Amino acid sequence: MGFAQWAASLFGRKRHFVRNDSVWGECISKSLFYGYLDAQRAIVMFFSSKGGWVGANMAFYETFGFEDIEVFRRRYRRIGDFFADDDYEIFADDDEMWLRQLERDKTEPPQVHVAVKGGEHRTFSLRAKRFRSGDDGLYFLEMTDVTDELAAKRAREEAEKAKKKFLGNISHEFRTPMNGIMGFLELLKHSHPSSTQMEYIQMIDRSSRQMLTTIESLLDLAQMQSGRLALSVNEFRPVEEFETIFEHYYYEAAQRGVTLSMFIDPKLPTYIEADQRKLRQVVNQLLDNAVKFSEEGGKVHAEVRVLGRRDDDRYEIGFKVKDHGPGIDASRLEKITDAFETGEHSDNRLGVGLTLTSGLLEMMGSSLKIQSEKGRGSKFSFVIETTGTTVTSFDPVRGHRATIALFDDALAAEANLLGRYLEAFGVEVTKLHYSQPVDCEDAEVLYIVASQENSGWLMQLGASSHTCRIVLLAEEDKAILERATQLVDYTLKKPLMPSRVARHLAQIFRLPPKEKAPSKRLRTKVKALVVEDNIINQRLIKMLLQEYNLSVTTADNGQDAVELCRRYPYDIIFMDIDMPVKDGILATKEIHTLALYKQHPASIVALTALAMQGDRERILGEGLDDYIAKPLGRGKLETILEKHLNMTVQP
């Protein structure tokens, strides 16, 4: 309790401790009063309405070097003359009025600079309190030295600025080369590579995306712990997003000898509104942990499904990842989401990922549920609520029947997953075990879930006649044995995902094909300016834009961009931000002032590796029209072209 508060509690009472004033006087003596006063860490002065400044505690005399209060009174006519701070002034005729105004100030205590003994200037916060005693009044002025506290605060702020700048530099330096790597990989995929080359491309692509996810996760964790991370909600296709994630981990698991099965609900809406990048990080982290901690021969199952939908197009979407790994000891479950909390092994990075995952889910209004049993694996799950379109990602397939025949008990999980997908699409499913006679009955399709090396199913099917079509669930990289081709009409390749199942059902049931969306191009030639100091990225962006029928000019820095815009009109400008000579923000502001730009304005889109929290808002606030964070992909580019150039389909 500060002295002013203590004095208020003491003198401000209407009733004393006892009714006998003589006893009161004996208890609260002058020596006790000054003893308490001298014990305060704060400097305390007191002022009488009749006598002026009449006293202070020992901290006052020791701090400022006064022998007694009389020395202070002779040296300073007004209390305001005592302070060496020109920025702080109360308009008052005398010290009592000054104290009254200070007391009335209920906001943050003012901070003033005062020279202490030895000449050093220190910073003090001021508080004043008045207590009445008959016709007189006693004011207490409390001065608290906050110099060190303010210095520590400034040091923390400077450290935060340095940390933010450091993280921003890491993000920029990492995203710039990654943009080139991932961009040219995308172009390579469309250059008709051989099967071996495509395999290499896909492996590089998966590694690049994993590296990008890891770096983003570490940067986001740092921002989240400093309170700077926020959601950035956008609209995206959930099935497309989750298929990309699951496909990556399917092959990652296969390389480790782990089987990953996944169910993505075909009833998911075509579009949902959420923070796409952060949701992707959460799913990535959970899958990465599950695959990483599963031993060879282990199994991991993941699923995304619609749990409910309201009339206002709000969806509840559930996520689950279950593994059969070593599990987590019950004593560690409560702390497993703490930063850098590890499991039993020194190389266990589980806690870092789960710290970020748990924090991101809390930001989304959800929470991470963990169930685990030592030696029997773990299950991680969460539910998000989001707005989605009324149209689902896939049309239902009604009025068709299929039979699934399981010929290998070790593949029961795959047979069940196939059944879930077929039923989710609306197909009526019958399940058969190899111990039962295989009969299509009235089914149109018979699905075989079996190993090709097991000839039992071939003999059983070959011994009987079937009018239904026969489909074999097969590994993607394994060819069908010649002896099986005589019985099998179609194959359905793993991994099972809704897009693949949808294409298969359209083929097997001869559904009317959907119109294929033609490639998007611009009807008329459009002039684009690409301002990018990295030559590799400059060439990549130019090549991508040319695919959409744009005429592209390039500039290496902001100054060259300004000169080009001074002479030539452009329809759209892609502007890097962090460049030598002149950065993108200064260049944009100068372009806005050009006469030719005012006659022929162009959308200026930031294409930048600055992708930390707040960068988008800061850049758009400087006058740019839109923002794309590297790495650049066709999806991001098409969105910008459609938005700013009204890109239409080339007939």
Side-chain angles (χ1 to χ4, degrees), residues 251-305:
Y251 294 109
E252 180 76 17
Q255 292 176 0
R256 294 173 175 265
V258 175
T259 300
L260 171 62
S261 61
M262 47 226 165
F263 177 76
I264 303 173
D265 197 342
K267 298 184 183 67
L268 282 167
T270 306
Y271 289 94
I272 64 172
E273 293 180 0
D275 190 317
Q276 181 180 5
R277 187 169 74 84
K278 293 181 178 61
L279 184 57
R280 179 172 64 241
Q281 283 178 284
V282 169
V283 178
N284 270 323
Q285 289 288 354
L286 296 180
L287 283 169
D288 187 63
N289 283 334
V291 171
K292 180 172 60 182
F293 294 110
S294 293
E295 298 178 356
E296 186 174 355
K299 295 181 179 180
V300 175
H301 176 71
E303 64 177 54
V304 184
R305 60 192 181 96

Side-chain angles (χ1 to χ4, degrees), residues 2 37 41 50 71 114 168 300 319 404 475 492 515 559 561:
L37 202 67
R41 294 181 61 185
K50 294 180 179 180
V71 174
V114 187
V300 175
F319 300 77
I404 301 175
E475 296 291 344
L492 175 57
E515 273 188 44
Q559 184 59 50

Side-chain angles (χ1 to χ4, degrees), residues 132-152:
R132 292 184 179 277
S133 178
D135 296 331
D136 197 3
L138 190 64
Y139 289 89
F140 289 88
L141 174 64
E142 184 178 300
M143 293 184 284
T144 304
D145 190 337
V146 294
T147 309
D148 296 336
E149 179 184 332
L150 292 175

Side-chain angles (χ1 to χ4, degrees), residues 528-545:
L529 174 62
V530 173
V531 191
E532 168 66 64
D533 66 311
N534 185 287
I535 301 301
I536 294 174
N537 285 328
Q538 185 185 106
R539 185 178 179 189
L540 169 65
I541 299 162
K542 181 176 180 178
M543 293 171 68
L544 286 171
L545 289 172

Side-chain angles (χ1 to χ4, degrees), residues 320-561:
K320 180 176 71 175
V321 177
K322 181 173 175 50
D323 65 65
H324 293 86
I328 304 169
D329 190 86
S331 62
R332 307 197 69 86
L333 278 178
E334 290 185 3
K335 294 184 177 181
I336 200 64
T337 57
D338 292 350
F340 310 111
E341 174 71 19
T342 61
E344 296 180 351
H345 306 290
S346 60
D347 64 343
N348 185 332
R349 299 182 298 278
L350 184 64
V352 177
L354 289 185
T355 299
L356 179 62
T357 298
S358 181
L360 293 178
L361 287 175
E362 286 181 11
M363 292 174 63
M364 298 178 196
S366 182
S367 60
L368 182 64
K369 307 296 183 185
I370 306 175
Q371 296 174 272
S372 187
E373 186 177 344
K374 192 69 175 176
R376 301 195 63 179
S378 306
K379 183 173 78 171
F380 300 86
S381 62
F382 64 93
V383 177
I384 64 167
E385 186 175 310
T386 180
T387 300
T389 55
T390 55
V391 180
T392 56
S393 300
F394 299 95
D395 295 332
V397 179
R398 304 295 187 193
H400 295 281
R401 292 173 57 84
T403 297
I404 301 175
L406 174 64
F407 284 88
D408 188 340
D409 288 335
L411 302 177
E414 296 184 8
N416 284 324
L417 180 62
L418 174 59
R420 285 190 69 186
Y421 268 118
L422 294 177
E423 289 173 341
F425 273 96
V427 178
E428 189 176 340
V429 175
T430 301
K431 297 179 180 179
L432 286 177
H433 191 263
Y434 62 83
S435 59
Q436 302 171 272
V438 178
D439 190 348
C440 289
E441 295 182 350
D442 57 348
E444 302 165 67
V445 183
L446 174 63
Y447 288 93
I448 304 299
V449 182
S451 168
Q452 289 195 64
E453 286 70 26
N454 180 0
S455 58
W457 65 274
L458 289 169
M459 295 175 59
Q460 189 171 351
L461 289 178
S464 57
S465 59
H466 302 282
T467 57
C468 60
R469 293 180 289 278
I470 298 178
V471 179
L472 176 65
L473 183 64
E475 296 291 344
E476 187 172 38
D477 58 348
K478 287 188 178 180
I480 303 300
L481 298 177
E482 185 176 351
R483 58 184 179 177
T485 57
Q486 300 175 5
L487 290 173
V488 174
D489 300 299
Y490 300 92
T491 57
L492 175 57
K493 296 293 185 70
K494 295 182 282 188
L496 292 180
M497 287 187 287
S499 293
R500 181 169 290 187
V501 175
R503 290 192 298 270
H504 164 75
L505 293 177
Q507 178 189 36
I508 200 75
F509 294 128
R510 298 179 175 87
L511 303 176
K514 289 187 175 181
E515 273 188 44
K516 185 179 180 181
S519 59
K520 295 178 179 178
R521 292 170 64 85
L522 294 163
R523 292 183 181 276
T524 58
K525 203 73 171 178
V526 171
K527 294 181 180 179
L529 174 62
V530 173
V531 191
E532 168 66 64
D533 66 311
N534 185 287
I535 301 301
I536 294 174
N537 285 328
Q538 185 185 106
R539 185 178 179 189
L540 169 65
I541 299 162
K542 181 176 180 178
M543 293 171 68
L544 286 171
L545 289 172
Q546 286 174 336
E547 290 185 3
Y548 296 96
N549 199 31
L550 274 75
S551 174
V552 182
T553 303
T554 59
D556 296 333
N557 57 67
Q559 184 59 50
D560 290 348

